[in-house]
PDB file of all heavy atoms in Angstrom:
ATOM      1  N   PRO A 233      23.193  19.379  17.317  1.00 93.00           N
ATOM      2  CA  PRO A 233      22.579  20.717  17.179  1.00 93.00           C
ATOM      3  C   PRO A 233      21.751  20.935  15.871  1.00 93.00           C
ATOM      4  O   PRO A 233      20.928  21.845  15.725  1.00 93.00           O
ATOM      5  CB  PRO A 233      23.715  21.652  17.238  1.00 93.00           C
ATOM      6  CG  PRO A 233      24.705  20.976  18.089  1.00 93.00           C
ATOM      7  CD  PRO A 233      24.593  19.492  17.663  1.00 93.00           C
ATOM      8  N   LEU A 234      22.078  20.060  14.833  1.00 93.00           N
ATOM      9  CA  LEU A 234      21.396  20.271  13.482  1.00 93.00           C
ATOM     10  C   LEU A 234      20.515  19.158  13.027  1.00 93.00           C
ATOM     11  O   LEU A 234      19.390  19.449  12.427  1.00 93.00           O
ATOM     12  CB  LEU A 234      22.524  20.421  12.397  1.00 93.00           C
ATOM     13  CG  LEU A 234      23.601  21.483  12.582  1.00 93.00           C
ATOM     14  CD1 LEU A 234      24.589  21.383  11.396  1.00 93.00           C
ATOM     15  CD2 LEU A 234      23.021  22.861  12.658  1.00 93.00           C
ATOM     16  N   HIS A 235      20.844  17.927  13.294  1.00 95.00           N
ATOM     17  CA  HIS A 235      20.242  16.814  12.642  1.00 95.00           C
ATOM     18  C   HIS A 235      19.194  16.112  13.425  1.00 95.00           C
ATOM     19  O   HIS A 235      19.425  15.813  14.577  1.00 95.00           O
ATOM     20  CB  HIS A 235      21.277  15.715  12.261  1.00 95.00           C
ATOM     21  CG  HIS A 235      22.337  16.291  11.296  1.00 95.00           C
ATOM     22  ND1 HIS A 235      23.456  16.972  11.775  1.00 95.00           N
ATOM     23  CD2 HIS A 235      22.450  16.284   9.924  1.00 95.00           C
ATOM     24  CE1 HIS A 235      24.174  17.250  10.686  1.00 95.00           C
ATOM     25  NE2 HIS A 235      23.643  16.813   9.598  1.00 95.00           N
ATOM     26  N   PRO A 236      17.989  15.875  12.808  1.00 97.00           N
ATOM     27  CA  PRO A 236      16.954  15.097  13.473  1.00 97.00           C
ATOM     28  C   PRO A 236      17.340  13.723  13.735  1.00 97.00           C
ATOM     29  O   PRO A 236      18.060  13.081  12.932  1.00 97.00           O
ATOM     30  CB  PRO A 236      15.769  15.181  12.444  1.00 97.00           C
ATOM     31  CG  PRO A 236      16.102  16.358  11.565  1.00 97.00           C
ATOM     32  CD  PRO A 236      17.622  16.367  11.521  1.00 97.00           C
ATOM     33  N   ASN A 237      16.881  13.218  14.820  1.00 97.00           N
ATOM     34  CA  ASN A 237      17.006  11.712  15.138  1.00 97.00           C
ATOM     35  C   ASN A 237      15.812  11.030  14.428  1.00 97.00           C
ATOM     36  O   ASN A 237      15.089  11.588  13.643  1.00 97.00           O
ATOM     37  CB  ASN A 237      17.041  11.468  16.611  1.00 97.00           C
ATOM     38  CG  ASN A 237      15.853  12.049  17.341  1.00 97.00           C
ATOM     39  OD1 ASN A 237      14.814  12.166  16.732  1.00 97.00           O
ATOM     40  ND2 ASN A 237      15.984  12.269  18.610  1.00 97.00           N
ATOM     41  N   GLY A 238      15.665   9.725  14.788  1.00 96.00           N
ATOM     42  CA  GLY A 238      14.576   8.992  14.126  1.00 96.00           C
ATOM     43  C   GLY A 238      13.243   9.490  14.354  1.00 96.00           C
ATOM     44  O   GLY A 238      12.383   9.578  13.452  1.00 96.00           O
ATOM     45  N   LEU A 239      12.958   9.936  15.608  1.00 96.00           N
ATOM     46  CA  LEU A 239      11.690  10.554  15.907  1.00 96.00           C
ATOM     47  C   LEU A 239      11.453  11.905  15.157  1.00 96.00           C
ATOM     48  O   LEU A 239      10.364  12.253  14.727  1.00 96.00           O
ATOM     49  CB  LEU A 239      11.534  10.807  17.413  1.00 96.00           C
ATOM     50  CG  LEU A 239      10.191  11.259  17.992  1.00 96.00           C
ATOM     51  CD1 LEU A 239       9.056  10.380  17.480  1.00 96.00           C
ATOM     52  CD2 LEU A 239      10.164  11.319  19.445  1.00 96.00           C
ATOM     53  N   GLY A 240      12.587  12.686  15.068  1.00 97.00           N
ATOM     54  CA  GLY A 240      12.510  13.922  14.396  1.00 97.00           C
ATOM     55  C   GLY A 240      12.182  13.681  12.934  1.00 97.00           C
ATOM     56  O   GLY A 240      11.365  14.396  12.286  1.00 97.00           O
ATOM     57  N   HIS A 241      12.671  12.660  12.278  1.00 97.00           N
ATOM     58  CA  HIS A 241      12.409  12.318  10.933  1.00 97.00           C
ATOM     59  C   HIS A 241      10.871  11.933  10.842  1.00 97.00           C
ATOM     60  O   HIS A 241      10.250  12.218   9.801  1.00 97.00           O
ATOM     61  CB  HIS A 241      13.222  11.164  10.450  1.00 97.00           C
ATOM     62  CG  HIS A 241      14.576  11.612   9.847  1.00 97.00           C
ATOM     63  ND1 HIS A 241      14.763  11.896   8.552  1.00 97.00           N
ATOM     64  CD2 HIS A 241      15.684  11.888  10.496  1.00 97.00           C
ATOM     65  CE1 HIS A 241      16.033  12.299   8.343  1.00 97.00           C
ATOM     66  NE2 HIS A 241      16.603  12.330   9.539  1.00 97.00           N
ATOM     67  N   GLN A 242      10.356  11.230  11.750  1.00 97.00           N
ATOM     68  CA  GLN A 242       8.929  10.915  11.669  1.00 97.00           C
ATOM     69  C   GLN A 242       8.063  12.101  11.767  1.00 97.00           C
ATOM     70  O   GLN A 242       7.133  12.251  11.020  1.00 97.00           O
ATOM     71  CB  GLN A 242       8.530   9.984  12.874  1.00 97.00           C
ATOM     72  CG  GLN A 242       7.037   9.487  12.743  1.00 97.00           C
ATOM     73  CD  GLN A 242       6.683   8.513  13.781  1.00 97.00           C
ATOM     74  OE1 GLN A 242       7.140   8.605  14.934  1.00 97.00           O
ATOM     75  NE2 GLN A 242       5.706   7.646  13.389  1.00 97.00           N
ATOM     76  N   GLU A 243       8.503  13.093  12.557  1.00 98.00           N
ATOM     77  CA  GLU A 243       7.654  14.404  12.583  1.00 98.00           C
ATOM     78  C   GLU A 243       7.716  15.130  11.244  1.00 98.00           C
ATOM     79  O   GLU A 243       6.775  15.752  10.807  1.00 98.00           O
ATOM     80  CB  GLU A 243       8.205  15.224  13.773  1.00 98.00           C
ATOM     81  CG  GLU A 243       7.921  14.741  15.123  1.00 98.00           C
ATOM     82  CD  GLU A 243       6.443  14.667  15.494  1.00 98.00           C
ATOM     83  OE1 GLU A 243       5.580  15.083  14.715  1.00 98.00           O
ATOM     84  OE2 GLU A 243       6.066  14.174  16.586  1.00 98.00           O
TER      85      GLU A 243
END
Side-chain angles (χ1 to χ4, degrees):
L234 305 178
H235 297 87
N237 58 22
L239 185 56
H241 274 266
Q242 184 175 33
E243 293 293 359

